[in-house]
């Protein structure tokens, strides 16, 4: 079996350069590649274009890379809950392309499935449609949206094996499997790294062919954005 | 006049047994609290979950298990989890029976605006554009008039659009209204104690109302 294991986050991201386009998995702060983000902040690469559903919060997730001004452009669907982001956006320091969430996910999927574009009705008749080709199928209009072209995809899984196979846990799956399929180079960080053969092939969410590098993250804070609970009484 | 919970209660009456339902953030989230007993529904959370359960007990929250509002939640017997592409695949393919979402403005031809106030608020559309473009059945939960007393049910939306010609039913603090296929708001029910004239004055778009529009029945 081909061994995809690298020592850690620093080695995994060592060839990410200024100006690269990165995909980062996660929804809010759930299932984000915490260790890769920390390594990118440490390395200090700049002028990055980041494709991620959200931009983190001020002091966690992609928010950390915004504080250090490493991000030139964000491609996201929802960017609330981040004051530094809003400040950079309004001052013109940060370029932002907002796109529908399903379009974001499906443009990743298209890249991973080797399809150049998709047709979706999301955004027809809105400013999202500006400059885009429209096709009518069975009486309904659809926008043509291109597959993403990303230099690296950084994803976070629950378990992975040395062959790069991944299993996600609960809703931390979100964008991770489709982004894993979509990167020219995909880097997976996992909570538990096991030997090839220890994961049931029937339970694999992302086959190792899509994963180029894998490592076990040093630690996971797994911060909760909105802690909502009910009382036992 | 209804409060937010009243709007949620009235919308809950539209939910039928066996429905798969997507609830947006805000008033739509409250609808889950008023689903009548004996009605089986499955709630979708578009980050990738069918079968959303209640908030976890204090101390049992799981950072890996959240809803589209990023709140900690639970699963239920029969729940399933999938990636975000499949989640919007089932929305686009119209497998979800009912979508309930909020709005800043709705026009008399069914356009909706709910994601951006130029120069003031830019948070993004999230999944709203996908939902309104594909859902076969959408109910909008919204305030009829804003804090300045201005109507939010308009001839044309003034804010950037989320979707066009997609809304068919609206529940506000004042009324239940349908949007007619040929355009215009049709008054279906009045909130308790609210007159047809009051609703007419609060609606800037074309309003069609008979004098015998019933008051809504909510417990």
């Amino acid at each position: 079996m081909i061994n995809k294991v690298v020592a850690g986050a620093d080695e995994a991201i060592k060839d990410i350069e200024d100006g690269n386009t990165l995909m980062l998995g996660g929804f809010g702060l759930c299932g984000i590649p915490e260790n890769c983000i920390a390594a990118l902040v440490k390395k200090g690469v700049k002028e990055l274009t980041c494709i991620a559903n959200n931009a983190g919060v001020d002091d966690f997730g992609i928010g950390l890379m915004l504080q250090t001004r490493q991000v030139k452009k964000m491609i996201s669907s929802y960017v609330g809950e981040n004051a530094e982001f809003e400040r950079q956006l309004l001052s013109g320091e940060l370029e932002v392309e907002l796109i529908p969430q399903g379009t974001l996910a499906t443009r990743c999927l298209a890249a991973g499935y080797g399809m150049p574009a998709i047709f979706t009705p999301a955004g027809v008749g809105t400013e999202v449609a500006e400059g885009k080709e429209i096709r009518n199928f069975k009486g309904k209009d659809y926008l043509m949206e291109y597959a993403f072209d990303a230099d690296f995809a950084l994803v976070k899984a629950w378990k992975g094996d040395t062959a790069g196979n991944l299993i996600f846990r609960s809703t931390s799956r979100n964008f991770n499997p489709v982004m894993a399929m979509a990167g020219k180079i995909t880097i997976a960080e996992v909570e538990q790294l096991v030997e090839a053969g220890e994961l049931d092939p029937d339970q694999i969410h992302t086959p190792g062919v899509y994963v180029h590098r894998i490592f076990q993250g040093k630690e996971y804070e797994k911060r909760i954005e909105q802690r909502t609970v009910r009382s036992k009484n | 006049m209804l409060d937010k919970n009243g709007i949620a209660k009235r919308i809950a009456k539209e939910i039928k047994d066996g429905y798969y339902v997507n609830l947006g953030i805000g008033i739509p989230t409250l609808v889950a609290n008023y689903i009548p007993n004996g009605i089986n529904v499955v709630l979708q959370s578009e980050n990738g979950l069918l079968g959303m359960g209640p908030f976890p007990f204090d101390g049992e929250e799981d950072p890996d298990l959240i809803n589209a509002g990023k709140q900690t939640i639970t699963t239920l017997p029969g729940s399933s989890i999938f990636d975000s592409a499949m989640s919007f695949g089932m929305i686009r393919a119209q497998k979800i029976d009912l979508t309930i979402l909020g709005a800043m403005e709705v026009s008399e031809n069914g356009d909706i605006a709910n994601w951006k106030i130029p120069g003031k608020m830019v948070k993004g559309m999230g999944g709203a554009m996908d939902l309104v473009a594909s859902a076969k059945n959408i109910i909008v939960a919204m305030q009829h008039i804003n804090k300045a007393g201005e109507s939010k049910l308009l001839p044309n939306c003034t804010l950037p659009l989320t979707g066009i010609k997609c809304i068919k039913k609206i529940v506000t603090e004042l009324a239940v209204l349908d949007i007619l296929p040929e355009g215009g708001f049709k008054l279906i029910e009045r909130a308790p104690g609210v007159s047809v004239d009051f609703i007419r004055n609060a609606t800037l778009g074309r309003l069609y109302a008979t004098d015998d529009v019933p008051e809504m029945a909510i417990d």
Side-chain angles (χ1 to χ4, degrees), chain A residues 54 77-79 99-103 106 121-122 126-127 140 169-174 222 226-230, chain B residues 55-58 61-66 70-72 81 83-84 88 92 116 123-127 130 133:
Chain A
N54 314 93
S77 86
Y78 187 83
V79 292
I99 62 175
Q101 197 175 326
T103 301
T106 315
T126 76
E127 63 182 55
K140 183 167 175 167
R169 182 176 174 276
S170 200
T171 59
S172 72
R173 192 182 316 184
N174 56 62
K222 296 217 256 182
Q226 306 271 351
R227 186 180 302 272
T228 44
V229 296
R230 65 193 151 127
Chain B
F55 295 150
F57 289 123
D58 198 357
E61 1 15 314
D62 178 352
D64 286 340
L65 183 52
I66 62 168
K70 287 134 193 165
Q71 298 171 312
T72 47
I81 284 165
D83 65 61
S84 300
F88 284 93
R92 224 179 278 118
K116 184 179 183 182
K123 289 184 190 296
M125 65 290 282
D130 307 273

Side-chain angles (χ1 to χ4, degrees), chain B residues 18-96:
Chain B
Y19 266 15
Y20 288 88
V21 181
N22 181 289
L23 300 178
I25 294 166
I27 298 174
T29 306
L30 300 173
V31 174
N33 300 332
Y34 302 108
I35 295 168
N37 287 332
I39 293 215
N40 287 306
V41 300
V42 176
L43 300 179
Q44 192 220 24
S45 187
E46 66 264 23
N47 49 324
L49 168 67
L50 276 171
M52 179 165 52
F55 295 150
F57 289 123
D58 198 357
E60 293 177 8
E61 1 15 314
D62 178 352
D64 286 340
L65 183 52
I66 62 168
N67 63 16
K70 287 134 193 165
Q71 298 171 312
T72 47
I73 46 157
T74 54
T75 54
L76 295 168
S79 289
S80 57
I81 284 165
F82 34 85
D83 65 61
S84 300
M86 184 179 280
S87 187
F88 284 93
M90 64 185 71
I91 288 166
R92 224 179 278 118
Q94 301 193 326
K95 305 296 180 189
I96 305 300

Side-chain angles (χ1 to χ4, degrees), chain A residues 96-124:
Chain A
V96 179
E97 186 181 341
L98 290 167
I99 62 175
Q101 197 175 326
T103 301
L104 178 62
T106 315
R107 288 176 68 187
C108 296
L109 190 82
Y113 273 62
M115 300 183 297
I118 56 145
F119 290 95
T120 175
V124 167

Side-chain angles (χ1 to χ4, degrees), chain B residues 142-155:
Chain B
M142 67 186 293
Q143 299 297 325
H144 211 112
I145 43 180
N146 67 17
K147 289 194 180 83
E150 297 160 338
S151 178
K152 296 163 78 168
L153 275 57
L154 305 169

Side-chain angles (χ1 to χ4, degrees), chain A residues 12-24 40 43-52 65 70-75 149-154 184-185 187 213:
Chain A
I13 62 129
K14 66 178 190 302
D15 52 352
I16 295 182
E17 294 172 353
D18 291 357
N20 278 168
T21 295
L22 314 182
M23 285 177 167
L24 296 102
L40 287 168
K43 185 173 182 192
V45 277
K46 300 183 297 289
E47 301 284 305
L48 300 171
T49 294
C50 292
I51 303 166
M65 293 160 64
Q70 290 174 268
V71 183
K72 180 184 72 175
K73 180 177 180 180
M74 284 294 315
I75 301 174
D149 197 5
D151 300 306
F152 293 88
L154 313 179
K184 283 198 196 79
I185 293 174
I187 298 166
R213 301 167 195 169

